[in-house]
Amino acid sequence: MATLQDISVSAAINLLSAFVFLVAFAILRLQPFNDRVYFPKWYRKGIRNSPRRSGAFVSKFVNLDWRTYIKFLNWMPAALRMPEPELIDHAGLDSVVYIRIYLLGLKIIVPQAVLAFLVLVPVNWTGETLERSKNLTFSDIDKLSISNVPDGSKRFWAHIGMSYVFTLWTFYVLYAEYKAVAAMRLRYLASENRRPDQFTVLVRNVPPDPDESVSEHVEHYFCVNHPDYYLTHQVVYNANKLATLVEKKKSLQNWYTYYLNKYERTSNRPATKTGFCGLFGTKVDAIDYYSSEIQKLSEAEAAERDKVMSDPKAIVPAAFVSFKSRWAAAVCAQTQLSRNPTIWLTEWAAEPRDVYWNNLAIPYFELSIRRLLMAVALFFLIFFFMIPIAFVQSLANIEGIEKVFPFLKPLIEMDSFKSVIQGFLPGIALKIFLILLPTILMTMSKIEGFSSLSSLDRRSAGKYHLFILVNVFLGSIITGTALQQLKTFLDQPPTEIPKTVGVSIPMKATFFITYVMVDGWAGIAAEILRLVPLVMFHLKNTFLVKTEQDREQAMDPGCLDFATSEPRIQLYILLGLVYSAVTPVLLPFIIIFFAFSYLVFRHQVINVYDQRYESGGSFWPDVHRRLIIGLIISQLLLMGLLSTKKIEKSTIALLPLPILTLWFRRYCKGRFESAFVKFPLQDAMIKDTLERATEPNLNLKAYLKDAYIHPVFKGSDLDRPQLIFEEENSPLVATKRTSKEGSEASSTHSS
């Protein structure tokens, strides 16, 4: 069992690591040759110029102004200086709402920590149960937990009462935040500039027609059913193979540029091998080899482009349909178009940079099957991942290590080494196991077939949250204690499981403290250092960059990784909710994490990250739902724990809490969620009216011309698919139908 000394060693190691990272960041960000790494957002906006363009030769690479090093922490107040409305204009609503999750954690946990230390810590400390117990190993941290209160004591009513206070406070904060974010989203949608997705709807599962192509069918359907507002449409092409060829060609061009630059520097013709990664195969001239490979790919790309444009099977039964007004697009996106609910399915089109084009080619009927298969795969992934998690948690105690590695016993018994193992190793080992997980979960979300990057992020975040909840939280609690008595645990009836898990909670407080420090403190410090982008930028700058435009492309500002970061935030809030009434000593470590993270991510959003898309904070309902799940889990675990403490009517006293929480969730969903899934027709009409008054000569067709063309067709007028526009000058809707009953009505309907 980790002692206070072990926790102190771990805290010292992680604080020292975080401090080293911060000092390294403070020094590296001041150097002119790193300016594009730590301030890429300002370069993308054209506001910042490279400090290497002027001054002495040495000063172009190294900052020689010693005064800037004295103020190396001035980035902290600078990160807090920009007001929220300006930050929304600068970085977008998604970034601001994401940052508010860290602030939300502080709003929930800080008051709970104050109350817990004022009320519950004295109650726990004066219980003196552990000191009276014989043959029981415990630490000073355990004296501050609920484990130090004797069974049957009336002191537990303090914990019950505080659990109500904590729950009601969480209700208040969640309600206020949901209300604020919903209002921010509506204001943002009402005030944002014109965007193509405001006028466009994605139509999927277009039914086949024997007499018309998909494009003709879409045009006639909307000319008939939306005659006054339909403007244009763009059918979706299955250009996935063409996109693969384009990406491969870009990669080869990078290698060609690298070897060409190398030749210009050394005047020696570089060589490479034709096998895997240039390590195997026949040795050839690198420049000639990559030049010929690029030529071959260019020919294959041209052939595939012609095939996509000429093959009717390359057209997917889906289209981006645009309307003359936002109001008309809102009506179409939010209503059922056909009496058959499985065809002509509509949803708001994602903004063009948010579209995940690869998945638009997936037949709609496959989506349900794919999602079912991925749900089964997720279950097995979570289940089998318990095996390494269990092994990692066995390392949390010295006895487990000595049993697995008996030859290490003399080394392990050393006090200094023992503190490092128990205070540091379990958290870092668990972190290593989780490195590849986000990539696996994102791949599963892509297989499910979601059509936008924002949807992929939200689905991956949901999977990651479930994984962390089961394996990291519940898995760490159960495997650390219950797997040592697995047979007894499996023989228990279901009603006893919450008790078993509840009893384990105080015992795992020290593990979660180390986890917060390793995954949280050091992780956030590493985030701001940006070591990998720093190395990659200088490698590209050295070997691939020839022009200033190349240098701009070499910058990798990155973006907020919502799919990974948000579930981690949820875990820390869950730990705060669970341990606020059980072992409050964990709360200060979580508070430090949230405060530091809020500061760091605000700095990154202002200076570094360039978001791939903007969804207007549409992910907030998912955040709220997961917070509610965490709150219910904390209540159930407290019920299970107190039911083992021989206190009468504790379960009855706590039973209203999850019921109230479910009601609160339902109320908030009905009150606010519509703002995140629907666009009010009133707001749409206001924006349309203002636009017509301020821009009466707006050519909306020209504005939408290239908005939803597949990226592989952009940048070239040759072999580009044409948008289909409504024939305004024709009073009839032309048709090729000859076999369908009722086609005459469609043919003569006024457009």
Side-chain angles (χ1 to χ4, degrees):
M1 179 177 294
T3 64
L4 188 60
Q5 178 186 357
D6 300 333
I7 298 300
S8 301
V9 170
S10 179
I13 293 174
N14 285 281
L15 284 175
L16 180 61
S17 301
F19 180 75
V20 170
F21 283 141
L22 285 177
V23 172
F25 163 71
I27 295 174
L28 290 172
R29 69 186 287 269
L30 295 175
Q31 310 312 313
F33 67 93
N34 290 331
D35 205 57
R36 292 178 183 272
V37 178
Y38 293 106
F39 302 96
K41 192 160 195 168
W42 300 104
Y43 282 92
R44 291 286 180 95
K45 289 178 174 286
I47 298 175
R48 192 178 183 96
N49 293 319
S50 175
R52 301 179 62 181
R53 292 182 177 178
S54 60
F57 177 78
V58 177
S59 63
K60 293 181 179 181
F61 298 91
V62 181
N63 187 347
L64 301 177
D65 186 358
W66 60 271
R67 290 168 295 183
T68 58
Y69 293 96
I70 297 177
K71 301 178 181 179
F72 72 95
L73 292 179
N74 64 353
W75 65 271
M76 293 185 177
L80 300 174
R81 197 171 295 132
M82 183 179 288
E84 194 169 78
E86 184 180 344
L87 186 57
I88 293 176
D89 294 336
H90 175 71
L93 185 61
D94 278 344
S95 299
V96 173
V97 171
Y98 173 82
I99 295 173
R100 287 181 69 101
I101 305 177
Y102 292 102
L103 199 58
L104 175 64
L106 289 174
K107 291 178 181 178
I108 294 174
I109 303 301
V110 170
Q112 291 187 358
V114 173
L115 290 175
F117 274 86
L118 289 176
V119 178
L120 297 183
V121 168
V123 171
N124 296 338
W125 180 264
T126 56
E128 300 181 350
T129 298
L130 297 176
E131 294 179 345
R132 298 172 186 171
S133 302
K134 297 181 180 180
N135 301 323
L136 184 63
T137 303
F138 62 91
S139 66
D140 291 336
I141 293 178
D142 295 322
K143 293 181 181 179
L144 301 176
S145 73
I146 199 173
S147 301
N148 202 33
V149 179
D151 292 350
S153 173
K154 293 184 179 180
R155 292 170 179 258
F156 287 116
W157 287 102
H159 300 82
I160 295 174
M162 292 308 297
S163 66
Y164 273 89
V165 174
F166 295 157
T167 297
L168 293 176
W169 171 251
T170 305
F171 284 175
Y172 170 76
V173 174
L174 290 181
Y175 178 85
E177 196 68 16
Y178 212 154
K179 182 179 180 180
V181 173
M184 290 169 60
R185 174 177 168 83
L186 292 176
R187 284 197 302 269
Y188 179 80
L189 294 177
S191 62
E192 70 174 338
N193 296 327
R194 179 172 57 251
R195 296 194 325 192
D197 53 292
Q198 297 170 353
F199 302 89
T200 307
V201 172
L202 174 61
V203 181
R204 305 188 73 170
N205 212 26
V206 176
D209 190 291
D211 301 311
E212 295 181 322
S213 66
V214 173
S215 180
E216 293 168 338
H217 196 186
V218 170
E219 179 186 10
H220 292 152
Y221 181 88
F222 283 94
C223 282
V224 168
N225 294 284
H226 295 265
D228 298 324
Y229 297 101
Y230 166 71
L231 179 64
T232 181
H233 74 275
Q234 172 64 63
V235 293
V236 177
Y237 288 81
N238 183 357
N240 292 348
K241 184 177 180 180
L242 178 60
T244 302
L245 293 174
V246 171
E247 288 300 317
K248 187 175 180 180
K249 181 180 175 182
K250 288 181 180 179
S251 176
L252 292 179
Q253 286 173 334
N254 285 336
W255 282 110
Y256 177 78
T257 303
Y258 164 71
Y259 284 114
L260 192 62
N261 290 348
K262 185 177 181 180
Y263 172 65
E264 292 175 354
R265 289 196 306 267
T266 63
S267 298
N268 296 323
R269 298 287 292 187
T272 187
K273 293 184 178 180
T274 58
F276 178 73
C277 293
L279 301 175
F280 307 98
T282 306
K283 193 172 184 179
V284 295
D285 182 275
I287 296 177
D288 293 341
Y289 171 73
Y290 281 104
S291 177
S292 63
E293 289 296 312
I294 291 172
Q295 179 63 31
K296 293 177 184 177
L297 270 182
S298 298
E299 295 173 359
E301 178 187 338
E304 180 64 22
R305 190 184 300 270
D306 292 339
K307 179 181 177 182
V308 169
M309 296 304 303
S310 59
D311 186 2
K313 294 182 180 180
I315 299 178
V316 179
F320 291 98
V321 180
S322 298
F323 295 84
K324 298 177 182 178
S325 68
R326 298 173 181 84
W327 184 91
V331 170
C332 182
Q334 297 167 183
T335 54
Q336 181 175 313
L337 298 191
S338 171
R339 67 185 66 176
N340 183 348
T342 64
I343 60 174
W344 297 107
L345 303 176
T346 60
E347 60 185 85
W348 277 109
E351 63 165 330
R353 59 178 177 164
D354 188 19
V355 176
Y356 187 67
W357 294 93
N358 290 356
N359 280 355
L360 289 178
I362 299 175
Y364 188 82
F365 69 87
E366 287 187 11
L367 296 180
S368 298
I369 300 174
R370 285 169 171 258
R371 290 167 190 176
L372 175 61
L373 293 176
M374 288 303 100
V376 175
L378 180 64
F379 170 80
F380 283 103
L381 177 65
I382 293 174
F383 177 79
F384 285 110
F385 217 85
M386 287 289 289
I387 298 173
I389 292 291
F391 175 74
V392 169
Q393 295 313 304
S394 69
L395 298 180
N397 58 80
I398 294 296
E399 294 78 10
I401 299 178
E402 292 177 346
K403 184 180 296 185
V404 178
F405 307 106
F407 58 91
L408 294 178
K409 185 174 182 180
L411 183 63
I412 292 173
E413 292 298 331
M414 297 174 57
D415 291 340
S416 58
F417 200 78
K418 186 176 181 180
S419 297
V420 171
I421 289 177
Q422 290 198 322
F424 185 74
L425 182 60
I428 195 68
L430 183 59
K431 180 69 175 176
I432 292 173
F433 271 113
L434 296 176
I435 287 177
L436 295 177
L437 182 64
T439 303
I440 297 173
L441 297 180
M442 177 58 74
T443 302
M444 293 173 65
S445 297
K446 290 178 179 179
I447 293 174
E448 286 181 311
F450 292 95
S451 59
S452 65
L453 298 175
S454 55
S455 298
L456 291 173
D457 277 344
R458 290 198 298 270
R459 289 291 296 185
S460 296
K463 293 181 179 68
Y464 196 35
H465 173 258
L466 182 60
F467 185 93
I468 288 179
L469 181 63
V470 174
N471 280 313
V472 178
F473 179 68
L474 295 178
S476 295
I477 290 175
I478 296 173
T479 57
T481 55
L483 284 187
Q484 296 172 359
Q485 303 173 352
L486 183 59
K487 187 176 184 302
T488 303
F489 179 74
L490 293 177
D491 290 341
Q492 290 178 339
T495 55
E496 296 296 316
I497 293 178
K499 298 181 181 180
T500 303
V501 178
V503 170
S504 305
I505 292 174
M507 304 178 189
K508 301 304 296 184
T510 53
F511 168 77
F512 284 120
I513 289 175
T514 60
Y515 182 81
V516 170
M517 289 187 291
V518 172
D519 184 70
W521 298 2
I524 294 301
E527 165 69 28
I528 198 171
L529 183 59
R530 286 176 56 80
L531 187 59
V532 173
L534 177 68
V535 173
M536 293 302 299
F537 172 76
H538 288 300
L539 287 176
K540 292 178 181 178
N541 202 34
T542 302
F543 298 111
L544 297 178
V545 169
K546 295 183 67 176
T547 65
E548 195 66 23
Q549 183 179 2
D550 294 337
R551 187 168 287 108
E552 293 288 336
Q553 294 176 351
M555 289 191 305
D556 180 20
C559 61
L560 288 171
D561 189 3
F562 177 82
T564 302
S565 300
E566 191 270 343
R568 289 173 54 206
I569 305 174
Q570 295 284 354
L571 173 62
Y572 297 131
I573 296 179
L574 172 63
L575 292 176
L577 294 173
V578 170
Y579 281 95
S580 57
V582 177
T583 310
V585 72
L586 177 62
L587 301 185
F589 297 90
I590 299 175
I591 291 172
I592 293 173
F593 165 78
F594 279 127
F596 192 25
S597 298
Y598 177 74
L599 189 65
V600 167
F601 278 100
R602 215 173 195 274
H603 172 274
Q604 300 296 80
V605 162
I606 292 173
N607 298 298
V608 180
Y609 292 143
D610 186 21
Q611 287 303 100
R612 297 181 298 169
Y613 58 81
E614 176 58 55
S615 68
S618 60
F619 55 81
W620 190 259
D622 297 328
V623 174
H624 180 84
R625 184 181 67 256
R626 288 192 274 270
L627 288 169
I628 292 295
I629 292 173
L631 185 58
I632 292 176
I633 289 174
S634 68
Q635 295 161 354
L636 294 178
L637 293 181
L638 182 61
M639 290 172 58
L641 175 60
L642 292 183
S643 65
T644 66
K645 295 294 184 177
K646 302 178 182 178
I647 177 172
E648 296 182 1
K649 301 180 181 179
S650 63
T651 302
I652 297 176
L654 291 172
L655 189 60
L657 286 179
I659 298 175
L660 284 173
T661 305
L662 291 173
W663 172 84
F664 173 76
R665 155 67 181 163
R666 183 176 181 181
Y667 174 78
C668 288
K669 181 178 181 180
R671 176 69 176 83
F672 301 117
E673 190 168 304
S674 61
F676 297 87
V677 296
K678 297 179 180 178
F679 186 46
L681 295 181
Q682 180 183 13
D683 291 351
M685 182 61 74
I686 291 174
K687 287 184 72 68
D688 289 334
T689 304
L690 289 175
E691 188 172 77
R692 284 193 294 268
T694 56
E695 299 180 73
N697 298 321
L698 172 66
N699 187 346
L700 194 57
K701 287 182 180 180
Y703 175 72
L704 295 171
K705 181 179 179 182
D706 292 335
Y708 287 98
I709 291 178
H710 196 292
V712 297
F713 294 115
K714 289 186 177 180
S716 173
D717 293 327
L718 182 64
D719 291 340
R720 172 190 289 184
Q722 299 296 317
L723 263 71
I724 309 300
F725 294 107
E726 174 199 1
E727 295 293 338
E728 292 182 343
N729 298 325
S730 174
L732 303 179
V733 179
T735 181
K736 295 181 180 180
R737 292 192 180 99
T738 58
S739 61
K740 278 201 168 184
E741 182 179 352
S743 62
E744 293 82 358
S746 175
S747 301
T748 58
H749 196 290
S750 173
S751 63

